[in-house]
Amino acid sequence: MLSLVGIIVGLALPIFLAFRGKSLLWAAPVCALLVAFTGGLDMFTAYTQNYMEGMVGFVKEWFPAFMLGAIFGQIMQDSGGAVSLTKAVVKLVGRDKAIFASVLCGGVLAYGGISGFVIIFSMYPIVLGLFKEADITRRLIPATIMTGAFTFAMSAMPGTPTIQNLIPTEYFGTTATAAPVIGIVCTIIMFVGPVLWLSWRAKKFRAAGEGYDEPDEMPEEVPDDKLPPAWCCFIPFVVIVILLNVFKMNIVVCLLAGILLSLVFLFLMGKVRGSVYLTNVGETCNKGCQSAVSAIMNTAAAVGFGSVVKITPGFAFLSELVLGIGGSPLIAESIAINVLAGATGSASGGLQIALDALADNFIQMSQTSGIPLAVFHRVGSIACGGLNTMPHDGAVVTYLSYCKISHKRGYFDMFIVAGAIPILANIVAIILGTIGIV
């Protein structure tokens, strides 16, 4: 019983500490030691072996992908490539469809391999201009950009090169295109639902007299003649996705190819146009590596915490309780991943912890229920993008801070589009997978 209490407190404590601005790098091991103590484990061994093995194991497995993904995103940001592609999509869709165009742009950038944390910096100045023309309140900007960056393109779209879609492949032996029909249906839900919600909210605010409001500081927007052609950025996106899904290459190879191709295109077009799109490639790589280290260490800290939790007596009881839930085994998977993602404030962290501890059980459930592992992959990937959108989530904090919007003004809509609607899509995925649709 004491072990169970320790786990519950250990899961709740990171949320409390995050609200107070404390780093997960030290909060996670402190919580792990609490869980170890209440679980009757040797605290020194729990930290130096179990915790560190989980943390280091995650870094060893995923750091190359984190680093190359961050460098690729930084190249797109520093060169203006992401801005150029965003403007091209807006021009194609129409500036009069501000919310639809913004969500679509975020999705294109995320599906092309750019981190959601980078997307906000590239898209914000453009979305700000679109919202000004449409007289839409700025409080909806974080939710709008987050919809494209952290929902359907992160977890549901078949073939997306995100970590959240790749982690299940390591446990289930699946591919990035697992359960394509379920993925497509959930993509539609997570695209259309937020667009309708945000459009309705914009009209409601406008009717109440709240339209566009100028920020205290206007971000600098790069002139079109200083931007590289959109195709310079789009082709590397396509190459990454094709190499990953058609040629089944490792994500590290795919991202490396995208980086090299983008550098070649930017250099050649710079020569043709007499411009320099990347003034300092080394500095761009430095910034990408720094952001990668920050991102992976926070996630790895959460995974280390999970490595201690899973060896306690209380976790055995919780596992039996969750896995014993009646109905589809996909329900148990979704609950476990959602709870852990919410507690850690990390989609990838929650997914990794849950699969590291319970993947063998899910594989056995797949065999006994007849539900393909591809469905467990897709449902798990979608599930990690639900309750992770808590107020302490790193993406939530970053988006609101960069847009100069308070939690009070902006968080509710962020939770609806990146939390509630993905959970609805998760439920639909469970139903489809249970009745045999893959």
Side-chain angles (χ1 to χ4, degrees), residues 36-327:
F37 174 75
T38 56
L41 305 177
D42 181 271
M43 295 172 67
F44 182 78
T45 302
Y47 177 66
T48 59
Q49 293 185 26
N50 303 107
Y51 179 88
M52 291 307 300
E53 285 174 3
M55 183 178 188
V56 173
F58 183 80
V59 174
K60 177 184 176 182
E61 181 73 27
W62 293 107
F63 182 70
F66 268 79
M67 182 187 70
L68 293 175
I71 290 175
F72 180 63
Q74 198 67 50
I75 290 172
M76 290 296 129
Q77 181 182 339
D78 289 358
S79 67
V83 174
S84 179
L85 187 57
T86 299
K87 288 189 173 184
V89 173
V90 170
K91 184 177 180 181
L92 180 67
V93 174
R95 296 184 68 87
D96 57 319
K97 302 177 182 65
I99 292 176
F100 177 86
S102 300
V103 171
L104 181 61
C105 288
V108 169
L109 295 176
Y111 193 78
I114 296 183
S115 165
F117 288 94
V118 173
I119 290 174
I120 180 66
F121 305 121
S122 300
M123 284 190 59
Y124 178 64
I126 299 170
V127 175
L128 194 65
L130 292 176
F131 275 43
K132 182 176 182 178
E133 290 180 19
D135 192 28
I136 299 174
T137 174
R138 277 193 311 114
R139 72 160 71 195
L140 296 179
I141 290 181
T144 301
I145 300 178
M146 177 167 269
T147 298
F150 284 107
T151 62
F152 59 91
M154 179 185 81
S155 61
M157 288 184 72
T160 183
T162 60
I163 295 295
Q164 292 81 2
N165 188 44
L166 297 176
I167 286 176
T169 65
E170 299 294 318
Y171 293 92
F172 298 141
T174 49
T175 66
T177 55
V181 175
I182 294 176
I184 291 171
V185 170
C186 291
T187 294
I188 294 171
I189 293 172
M190 286 192 273
F191 184 96
V192 176
V195 169
L196 292 177
W197 170 265
L198 292 168
S199 298
W200 174 74
R201 289 281 283 176
K203 291 180 181 177
K204 182 180 178 182
F205 283 123
R206 197 181 297 115
E210 183 178 346
Y212 177 80
D213 51 313
E214 289 281 0
D216 294 333
E217 297 180 15
M218 289 293 291
E220 184 180 349
E221 189 168 351
V222 183
D224 290 352
D225 60 352
K226 299 293 184 181
L227 297 173
W231 62 264
C232 282
C233 316
F234 184 70
I235 292 179
F237 285 10
V238 174
V239 169
I240 290 173
V241 173
I242 290 177
L243 290 179
L244 177 66
N245 298 294
V246 177
F247 294 96
K248 309 299 180 184
M249 290 187 176
N250 187 282
I251 185 60
V252 172
V253 177
C254 301
L255 289 170
L256 187 58
I259 289 171
L260 294 175
L261 197 58
S262 61
L263 289 175
V264 170
F265 282 161
L266 290 169
F267 175 77
L268 292 178
M269 286 310 300
K271 288 293 184 181
V272 170
R273 292 186 168 188
S275 299
V276 178
Y277 296 122
L278 275 178
T279 56
N280 191 329
V281 176
E283 183 60 28
T284 294
C285 292
N286 285 346
K287 289 189 290 184
C289 288
Q290 289 168 4
S291 64
V293 169
S294 175
I296 197 169
M297 290 306 294
N298 278 293
T299 304
V303 173
F305 167 75
S307 297
V308 175
V309 170
K310 73 177 184 180
I311 61 173
T312 61
F315 186 76
F317 172 78
L318 284 177
S319 298
E320 185 177 346
L321 184 66
V322 173
L323 296 174
I325 294 175

